[in-house]
């Protein structure tokens, strides 16, 4: 049995839904695209059950990019600068596959095996974000996949 509180919430939900869908028949069969999977061969393919990126609404969510060269499938040279550059090149390739650029990036998260590498990582990062830099968080983590020194994820504004 539905409580009065649940009835009120249910009514509010359907009223809100009606506002969102307008006067159209809620039972109408129609395809509404909520998200788009982004994939390019110019960046390494996903190494698990995830997408390189997803466009949802006005945002593109780019999965963490390991410093893997998409042409060889191998990690970049074992130094933080080379690996940061490769991770950012992978992000750039994913953005470009949708007609975007690094200027569209609004947020990044940088995961590093050693936070002591922050300054060297930041030197390379600054070459890719020169004005109106995105918000950023950077963390040291115990271990990254494939023994990488860095992994970077990003959120970009699409419109």
């Amino acid at each position: 049995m539905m409580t009065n509180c649940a009835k009120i919430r249910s009514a509010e939900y359907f009223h809100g839904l009606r506002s969102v869908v307008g006067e159209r028949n809620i039972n109408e069969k129609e395809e509404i695209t909520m998200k788009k999977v982004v994939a390019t061969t110019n960046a390494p393919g996903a190494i698990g059950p995830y997408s390189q990126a997803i466009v949802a609404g006005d945002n593109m969510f780019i999965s963490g990019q390991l410093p893997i060269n998409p042409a060889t499938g191998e990690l970049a040279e074992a130094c933080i600068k080379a690996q940061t550059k490769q991770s950012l090149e992978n992000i750039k390739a994913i953005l470009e596959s949708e007609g975007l650029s690094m200027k569209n990036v609004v947020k990044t998260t940088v995961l590093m095996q050693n936070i002591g590498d922050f300054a060297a990582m930041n030197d390379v990062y600054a070459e890719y974000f020169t004005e109106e830099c995105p918000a950023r968080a950077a963390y040291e983590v115990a271990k990254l996949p494939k023994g990488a020194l860095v992994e970077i994820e990003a959120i970009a504004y699409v419109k």
Side-chain angles (χ1 to χ4, degrees), residues 34-50:
M34 300 299 290
K35 66 180 183 179
K36 174 186 173 187
V37 174
V38 177
T40 178
T41 57
N42 294 327
I47 58 172
Y50 61 91

Side-chain angles (χ1 to χ4, degrees), residues 71-91:
T72 65
E74 300 295 322
L75 278 178
E77 175 187 343
C79 90
I80 192 66
K81 286 189 172 197
Q83 290 199 4
T84 299
K85 179 178 174 55
Q86 186 63 61
S87 289
L88 290 167
E89 284 295 322
N90 294 343
I91 289 171

Side-chain angles (χ1 to χ4, degrees), residues 33 55-60 95 98-101 103-106 156-159:
T33 305
V55 174
D58 293 340
N59 295 298
M60 177 188 286
L95 289 163
E98 292 295 306
L100 303 174
S101 74
K103 289 183 179 186
N104 291 88
V105 176
V106 296
Y157 186 68
V158 177
K159 303 277 177 171

Side-chain angles (χ1 to χ4, degrees), residues 2 19 21-22 36 41 59-60 78 115 118 124 128 135 147 150-151 153 155 157:
M2 190 180 279
S19 297
V21 296
K36 174 186 173 187
T41 57
N59 295 298
M60 177 188 286
I115 200 73
F118 183 86
V124 176
Y128 287 82
V150 66
E151 179 176 351
E153 67 176 20
I155 300 171
Y157 186 68

Side-chain angles (χ1 to χ4, degrees), residues 2 7 12 16 21 36 39 42 46 51 55 58 61 67 76 82 84 107 111 114 117-118 129 133 135 146 149 151 153:
M2 190 180 279
K7 286 179 187 175
E12 287 171 352
V21 296
K36 174 186 173 187
N42 294 327
S51 301
V55 174
D58 293 340
F61 300 88
T84 299
K107 170 74 169 76
L111 307 174
N114 181 350
D117 289 337
F118 183 86
F129 300 107
C133 298
K146 296 190 169 246
L149 302 176
E151 179 176 351
E153 67 176 20

Side-chain angles (χ1 to χ4, degrees), residues 1-12:
M1 182 171 181
M2 190 180 279
T3 67
N4 284 339
C5 190
K7 286 179 187 175
I8 291 169
R9 282 193 207 114
S10 180
E12 287 171 352

